[in-house]
Amino acid sequence: MKACALALVAALAVGMGAQDAAAQTIVDARMGVHEERTRFVLEFDRAQPYRAFVLTGPNRAVIDLPDVEWRAAAPHTKPMVGLVGNLRYGLFRPGVSRVVIDLKGPARIASHFTLDAGGGSGPRIVVDLEPAAPDVAAAEEPVQSPQWAAYAERLERSSSAVASLAPPASAAGDRRIVVLDPGHGGVDPGAIGVSGVYEKDIVMAIAGTLKRELEATGRYEVVLTRDRDVYLPLRERYQVAHDVNAELFVSLHADSHPSRSLRGASVYTLSDTASDAEAAALAAKENKSDVIAGADLSGYTAEVSSILIDLAQQSVNENSWHFAEMLVDDLAREVRVLNNTHRFAGFAVLKSPNVPSVLVELGYLSNRDDEKLLRTDAYRERVSRALTRAVDRYFERQDRLSRS
Ligand SMILES: [Zn+2]
């Protein structure tokens, strides 16, 4: 079935990306202000093709590159200069790495060019941004280097070749299909911990342990929405659950909070009315993944980023609710949990109309103790044990109900 196909496509894509980008790196990222313009410079060990564009609502600039490694200082530690607010870097999709620059206002790309290696620097890409009226910024077209078109075409060809290699469906037998969704990824790091660790890496590691634990029972086939450090749009995450006929969808996260003393895990299910202001704020934050990754949301912004979810999608919520209640119970035996552990809010990633779905916040990366725990094998195993027990209990209940 499609699970294997997805995994194979991902594996081949990795191979292809690695071949294309063997040891190619970004060695530095620099910013400077010259009169009205903010200059953004990326330095590489080898020249790279690129494409750049600006987005509005919110204002961002995006530079797309081949799959190259970031060896410069961590993007989130870069100073904010001129028009540049926050900076992010990561895989946007196989073969395309992306730099996303949050802008302090609407802007346009005033000029862009490349510089050959010289003067002690490697090859560079230079993009000059200048303030622009909002309607001018919104009407800007992408720009690219002459080499980008050929790169994009090659990428297109290799990804269609990869897709046709996908094997025919193999049955999961009588095993139930559970989809695990490690949150964020690639250009979207998620929360950033007190020591600088990224949520996307923490939840990926936990997903791996949990997958092994669930599959070791012989009762489940586990499909991951992502099995590498790549960005995935929110709607594609729950789409995976549909595509593989999953019976349960679990999105894994680790939050951060301005109050650094806050600790513990919590479980969320979908609701158009948040259980409290904190849950609403959390959902709003998690729902921003597509914005953070520099996805062009024109046309479906309202659907993806709205925290008000269609009431018609609440029919599966009863099952989601039961699973969440069981999970809260099992988590509390293994790890510290928040008060009112089961909360409700409008998470876009839980919008699946027919697969029971929960989102787990495994702890707070803003808390020193939680962050330390989240990085240990022991904590990963405790969390996995709790989740496996809850999944077992959930399906036992489903079986009881279907027999009666
Ligand atoms: Zn998250």
Side-chain angles (χ1 to χ4, degrees):
M1 38 131 274
K2 279 198 184 137
C4 304
L6 284 174
L8 183 72
V9 168
L12 287 170
V14 172
M16 184 197 69
Q19 222 169 37
D20 267 1
Q24 301 188 59
T25 55
I26 294 175
V27 296
D28 198 13
R30 296 187 283 275
M31 282 152 275
V33 180
H34 305 265
E35 291 166 7
E36 278 284 80
R37 292 183 173 185
T38 302
R39 173 160 286 187
F40 188 80
V41 182
L42 287 173
E43 182 185 338
F44 301 85
D45 59 345
R46 280 166 56 186
Q48 300 294 339
Y50 66 92
R51 178 174 85 125
F53 53 94
V54 292
L55 294 166
T56 54
N59 295 300
R60 290 153 292 163
V62 171
I63 303 172
D64 282 340
L65 301 159
D67 187 353
V68 296
E69 271 180 64
W70 180 281
R71 289 269 169 80
H76 72 267
T77 64
K78 288 281 174 189
M80 299 179 188
V81 170
L83 281 167
V84 174
N86 289 313
L87 199 63
R88 291 177 292 280
Y89 178 80
L91 204 57
F92 181 67
R93 60 189 179 86
V96 179
S97 290
R98 172 167 283 193
V99 180
V100 181
I101 305 161
D102 290 337
L103 299 173
K104 292 173 188 161
R108 58 183 290 275
I109 295 171
S111 63
H112 65 102
F113 53 93
T114 56
L115 292 171
D116 294 335
S121 293
R124 282 146 289 166
I125 294 172
V126 181
V127 175
D128 285 336
L129 297 159
E130 67 181 12
D135 56 323
V136 172
E140 282 286 286
E141 297 282 336
V143 298
Q144 61 188 44
S145 65
Q147 296 79 14
W148 180 262
Y151 177 75
E153 195 185 312
R154 197 152 51 92
L155 189 65
E156 197 60 44
R157 269 204 314 272
S158 46
S159 46
S160 45
V162 166
S164 65
L165 288 174
S170 80
D174 50 8
R175 285 175 301 162
R176 325 195 82 134
I177 300 168
V178 176
V179 169
L180 300 180
D181 173 45
H184 313 277
V187 66
D188 171 17
I192 299 174
V194 277
S195 77
V197 70
Y198 289 159
E199 176 183 357
K200 65 175 183 177
D201 297 323
I202 294 284
V203 295
M204 190 75 235
I206 288 173
T209 306
L210 177 55
K211 176 176 162 62
R212 279 193 299 279
E213 180 108 4
L214 283 168
E215 289 186 338
T217 66
R219 292 186 285 279
Y220 310 108
E221 171 157 341
V222 175
V223 177
L224 300 180
T225 54
R226 65 176 179 97
D227 62 359
R228 59 185 302 211
D229 187 15
V230 65
Y231 157 75
L232 198 64
L234 292 175
R235 56 160 57 184
E236 285 182 24
R237 292 173 186 268
Y238 64 74
Q239 189 61 44
V240 169
H242 292 265
D243 291 349
V244 302
N245 292 319
E247 292 184 68
L248 199 56
F249 175 93
V250 182
S251 192
L252 300 167
H253 293 258
D255 196 12
S256 76
H257 195 277
S259 163
R260 292 198 162 191
S261 58
L262 202 58
R263 295 189 60 182
S266 46
V267 179
Y268 294 81
T269 47
L270 182 68
S271 168
D272 62 330
T273 318
S275 51
D276 55 74
E278 292 273 303
L282 176 66
K285 199 158 60 176
E286 298 290 9
N287 290 350
K288 282 209 177 96
S289 179
D290 293 329
V291 167
I292 283 167
D296 184 359
L297 300 174
S298 50
Y300 62 100
T301 305
E303 189 203 337
V304 175
S305 57
S306 170
I307 64 160
L308 294 172
I309 305 298
D310 189 349
L311 279 166
Q313 294 177 327
Q314 306 244 356
S315 55
V316 293
N317 268 15
E318 196 195 323
N319 282 335
S320 305
W321 187 88
H322 280 292
F323 176 60
E325 290 290 307
M326 291 167 177
L327 182 53
V328 161
D329 211 48
D330 288 318
L331 270 176
R333 291 178 201 201
E334 297 282 353
V335 300
R336 180 194 287 251
V337 296
L338 284 185
N339 293 336
N340 307 318
T341 319
H342 179 189
R343 301 174 181 211
F344 314 89
F347 291 91
V349 77
L350 301 182
K351 270 182 68 179
S352 172
N354 46 26
V355 183
S357 306
V358 306
L359 183 145
V360 189
E361 293 281 354
L362 294 157
Y364 284 91
L365 290 172
S366 44
N367 177 274
R368 211 163 281 282
D369 298 319
D370 263 14
E371 195 210 44
K372 204 188 278 176
L373 277 176
L374 282 161
R375 302 172 76 163
T376 62
D377 289 345
Y379 195 80
R380 282 201 280 274
E381 276 153 25
R382 291 217 299 277
V383 161
S384 298
R385 207 154 48 221
L387 268 146
T388 302
R389 203 179 298 139
V391 170
D392 276 341
R393 290 207 292 146
Y394 171 77
F395 284 117
E396 281 160 17
R397 177 178 181 276
Q398 295 300 102
D399 288 342
R400 266 199 318 276
L401 291 177
S402 65
R403 276 197 304 268
S404 61

